[in-house]
Amino acid sequence: MTERAKHSPTGAETTLDAAQREALLRRSFIFKDLPQDLLAGLARITTTRRIPHGQTLFQQGDEGDALYAVITGLIRISVVGRAGKALTLALLEPGDLFGEIALLDGLSRTAAAEAAADCMLLVIERATFLDLLQRDGRLARHIIELLCDRLRENTDRLSEFAFLDLNARLAGQLQSLSIAHGRDTGDGVRIDIKLSQTDLAEMLGVSREAVNKQLKSWSAIGMLRVDRGFITVLDRHRLAAMAQAESGETHASMTKGAGMAKSAGAIAEKTGRKLPGSMGPSNGKPSARR
């Protein structure tokens, strides 16, 4: 069991001057367009905290009391379902912020956060943040935009789970990881995060065995190489094409289906015949099926 992280004593906090704090906040899309005076005010209410590798910052269900930004290290965000199965939602790197939902509503955390490496975090406590939020509507507008973007991301993720098969989802995940954490090695792009097959399975919500089978298949055809937990993408174009092809086929299938439904509806309207289960012309109730 991981140990719960505690607030660092004042003397243990790493010195980070105002300019560095502002620069870190500016790297986040939520604060990047803030006026300088508001950004400076936000930086003044921040503190820093160190979290060692493997330590839990907060658990799913804990009270939300702060917003965090990653200064150094890597934070794993995950949830656990009723059956006890863990799902990794995101790996957050320097410049990323998290904890915004619980910070705003004060309710329990919707996910857990654990240090996947030694970390230093910038912290904004809820009470001081809300005070600033109430004083300046410009910050409130930025928060609204953030939540809208996160909602879109969640919708996209749900679409992937609903319509894409494992090949496309795994290819897309590896492509994203290679862009965010990749290093050119001459023969390919090495993802500089040590990922177990269980880690990848949790990100996709599938079994470790399914990920293992697919990675072996791709290794056999020379698309990637797995070496002691590190994945090197050897054929980036083929990986990208695999993710896009599956997504494109799904979109084309959905579009074709929608077009057929539209055409059938037009024919029914011209002939005066109703499609099975369609709405009646006058009473607004579904017609009876035979």
Side-chain angles (χ1 to χ4, degrees):
M1 178 180 292
T2 53
E3 181 185 353
R4 186 70 56 82
K6 299 178 177 63
H7 287 269
S8 300
T10 303
E13 288 192 357
T14 299
T15 301
L16 207 65
D17 63 31
Q20 290 173 315
R21 294 173 191 244
E22 290 176 20
L24 176 61
L25 294 175
R26 185 71 78 185
R27 287 176 61 184
S28 169
F29 73 92
I30 184 176
F31 296 134
K32 66 180 181 179
D33 295 323
L34 281 180
Q36 181 58 37
D37 62 321
L38 185 54
L39 186 71
L42 193 64
R44 282 194 294 270
I45 68 173
T46 62
T47 58
T48 58
R49 190 182 307 175
R50 284 192 179 276
I51 309 293
H53 180 206
Q55 197 169 69
T56 298
L57 179 60
F58 53 76
Q59 294 278 15
Q60 186 176 348
D62 282 356
E63 179 184 357
D65 60 355
L67 172 74
Y68 300 93
V70 183
I71 300 173
T72 60
L74 196 68
I75 292 288
R76 183 191 310 278
I77 304 296
S78 62
V79 295
V80 177
R82 293 181 180 178
K85 184 177 180 181
L87 174 64
T88 298
L89 300 179
L91 291 172
L92 305 180
E93 56 186 347
D96 289 336
L97 273 75
F98 61 100
E100 50 277 78
I101 296 177
L103 179 79
L104 293 174
D105 61 20
L107 300 179
S108 58
R109 298 284 185 184
T110 56
E114 177 187 351
D118 290 338
C119 297
M120 183 164 70
L121 306 176
L122 197 68
V123 185
I124 302 177
E125 299 294 339
R126 182 172 188 266
T128 51
F129 180 78
L130 289 181
D131 182 59
L132 182 60
L133 192 68
Q134 291 173 352
R135 293 200 309 266
D136 199 314
R138 294 173 294 175
L139 181 57
R141 286 193 296 272
H142 275 79
I143 297 298
I144 291 171
E145 291 172 2
L146 167 71
L147 296 179
C148 289
D149 285 340
R150 290 296 169 90
L151 180 60
R152 292 190 186 98
E153 289 176 6
N154 288 340
T155 301
D156 290 342
R157 182 176 289 257
L158 287 173
S159 296
E160 289 179 359
F161 272 78
F163 299 115
L164 301 184
D165 65 12
L166 174 61
N167 286 9
R169 287 157 55 194
L170 182 56
Q173 185 67 57
L174 292 177
Q175 186 180 23
S176 296
L177 289 168
S178 67
I179 292 172
H181 306 283
R183 176 171 58 85
D184 197 343
T185 60
D187 63 341
V189 177
R190 174 187 164 106
I191 299 173
D192 272 341
I193 300 177
K194 192 171 185 179
L195 294 168
S196 68
Q197 293 176 4
T198 300
D199 289 331
L200 288 171
E202 289 179 355
M203 290 179 184
L204 300 173
V206 298
S207 68
R208 185 196 66 79
E209 290 76 14
V211 170
N212 174 269
K213 181 179 179 180
Q214 194 57 58
L215 290 178
K216 283 185 176 179
S217 174
W218 288 345
S219 295
I221 62 176
M223 198 164 76
L224 54 80
R225 180 174 63 244
V226 182
D227 182 20
R228 289 175 292 183
F230 291 97
I231 297 174
T232 300
V233 178
L234 302 175
D235 193 337
R236 286 173 286 179
H237 298 295
R238 190 170 184 178
L239 185 71
M242 183 170 293
Q244 294 173 3
E246 294 290 346
S247 177
E249 287 173 6
T250 300
H251 176 73
S253 177
M254 292 172 65
T255 302
K256 181 179 179 181
M260 291 174 66
K262 184 176 180 181
S263 297
I267 293 172
E269 183 178 353
K270 289 181 180 180
T271 61
R273 297 172 58 189
K274 293 185 292 182
L275 297 174
S278 65
M279 302 297 287
S282 58
N283 58 16
K285 297 179 182 179
S287 59
R289 290 181 180 272
R290 293 186 180 182

